[in-house]
């Protein structure tokens, strides 16, 4: 039963390992934010505001600090066709940057995109209270770009 | 250095029927905020609307134009 595989199967091999790592991170994390700084210490007001929207919905999310390596930002923008940071991806799709995330937060579309039901403003009043966060609090740990990305 | 009037002019020239209100929200000449209405936005997602405006500036976004905060509306502009 103790079979060890010293060599891992490599299935994604293009000539751009950094881009592959970014693609993989987007695929593996349902909610992932590419930002300047970290959720605890955002290094830019736009990143801070975007983190604030996500945190106030109580959704777990992975975060990549693009300041860790300037190439992350270049490769990400090529992949996403989006020029600025932050960039929020949900289910592998770009949702948008700070403006779009903020606007969607205000209209309730962000909660919807994240699959969170907010029970405020329910007209009939007799609904069962929804949990504060729709997901288990132990979500994916914040991605460490220095570990994941060469 | 870009200024709000130049950014407004370029958006309005590049996107047919667009009307843009642009302001420099830090006064530093590199952080701008624009509200753009254009019939060309009709049928596009918010993401695509913003991409259309960003495409006017190409690599200047993130360069000389450090930030261009956007609000877009697909309104008719007769």
């Amino acid at each position: 039963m103790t079979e060890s595989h010293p060599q891992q199967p490599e299935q994604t091999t293009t000539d751009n390992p950094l881009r592959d790592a970014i693609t993989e991170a987007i695929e593996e994390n349902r909610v992932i934010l590419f930002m300047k700084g970290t959720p605890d210490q955002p290094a830019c007001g736009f990143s801070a505001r975007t983190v604030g929207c996500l945190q106030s919905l109580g959704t777990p999310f992975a975060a990549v600090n693009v300041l860790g390596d300037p190439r992350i930002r270049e490769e990400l923008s090529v992949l996403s066709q989006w020029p600025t940071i932050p960039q929020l991806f949900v289910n592998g799709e770009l949702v948008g940057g700070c403006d779009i995330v903020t606007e969607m937060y205000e209209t309730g579309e962000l909660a919807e995109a994240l699959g969170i039901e907010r029970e405020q403003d329910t007209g009939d009043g007799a609904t069962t209270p929804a949990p504060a966060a729709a997901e288990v609090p132990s979500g994916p740990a914040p991605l460490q770009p220095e570990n994941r990305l060469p | 250095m870009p200024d709000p009037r130049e950014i407004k002019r370029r958006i309005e020239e590049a996107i047919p029927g667009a009307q843009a209100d642009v302001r420099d929200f830090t006064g530093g000449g590199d952080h701008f905020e624009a509200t753009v209405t254009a019939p060309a936005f009709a049928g596009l997602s918010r993401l695509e609307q913003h991409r259309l405006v960003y495409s006017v500036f190409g690599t200047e976004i993130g360069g000389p134009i450090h930030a261009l905060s956007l609000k877009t509306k697909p309104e008719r502009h007769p």
Side-chain angles (χ1 to χ4, degrees), chain A residues 36 46 73 80-84 94-97 99-100 103-104 106-107 109, chain B residues 25 31 46-48 50-51 54 58 61-63 66-72:
Chain A
K36 292 182 181 176
F46 300 106
R73 182 180 174 162
S80 63
Q81 295 294 297
W82 192 259
T84 54
L94 176 66
V95 170
D99 297 325
I100 289 178
E103 210 173 314
M104 288 178 72
E106 286 164 359
T107 60
E109 290 164 88
Chain B
F25 71 88
H31 285 67
R46 211 185 262 125
L47 195 76
E48 291 164 335
H50 286 215
R51 268 198 188 118
Y54 283 142
I61 303 284
H66 180 79
L68 178 61
S69 185
L70 293 177
K71 264 203 194 316
T72 52

